[in-house]
């Protein structure tokens, strides 16, 4: 709550939500991580890959998974 634009904290929150099975919340925090990091570090890559795996568990989201993975590998 004190540092909502911190990519590392958003990533950790996403991981914790994913650990308790709250994939929708986890995806939100993973996408915020990627947005706030702006591709500056590997955190963006990790967040996009983790978001893709969350969508994969939700079934019938193959295109979204593919798009997220393509976005992750296109990060410079």
């Amino acid at each position: 709550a004190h540092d909502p634009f911190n990519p590392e904290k958003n990533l950790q929150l996403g991981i914790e939500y994913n650990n308790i099975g709250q994939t929708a919340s986890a995806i939100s925090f993973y996408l915020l991580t990627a947005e706030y990091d702006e591709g500056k570090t590997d955190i963006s890559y990790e967040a996009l890959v983790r978001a893709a795996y969350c969508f994969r568990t939700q079934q019938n989201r193959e295109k979204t998974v593919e798009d997220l993975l393509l976005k992750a590998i296109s990060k410079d």
Side-chain angles (χ1 to χ4, degrees), residues 53-76:
Y53 277 102
C54 283
F55 274 115
R56 186 174 173 213
T57 65
Q58 293 179 350
Q59 308 284 323
N60 298 318
R61 299 301 298 259
E62 291 84 11
K63 181 65 176 149
T64 305
V65 171
E66 179 183 348
D67 289 345
L68 285 167
L69 293 175
L70 288 172
K71 180 87 172 157
I73 61 174
S74 71
K75 292 278 182 197
D76 296 281

Side-chain angles (χ1 to χ4, degrees), residues 23-61:
T23 57
S25 295
I27 289 166
S28 294
F29 282 102
Y30 292 147
L31 295 178
L32 285 173
T33 299
E35 180 181 346
Y36 296 150
D37 188 59
E38 299 174 337
K40 296 174 191 167
T41 69
D42 288 341
I43 289 174
S44 295
Y45 171 81
E46 180 179 354
L48 291 170
V49 171
R50 286 180 178 272
Y53 277 102
C54 283
F55 274 115
R56 186 174 173 213
T57 65
Q58 293 179 350
Q59 308 284 323
N60 298 318
R61 299 301 298 259

Side-chain angles (χ1 to χ4, degrees), residues 2-40:
H2 298 290
D3 195 5
F5 301 106
N6 183 313
E8 291 94 3
K9 289 182 181 179
N10 281 297
L11 179 65
Q12 289 304 314
L13 280 169
I15 291 169
E16 291 303 319
Y17 274 113
N18 193 36
N19 287 343
I20 62 171
Q22 298 292 321
T23 57
S25 295
I27 289 166
S28 294
F29 282 102
Y30 292 147
L31 295 178
L32 285 173
T33 299
E35 180 181 346
Y36 296 150
D37 188 59
E38 299 174 337
K40 296 174 191 167

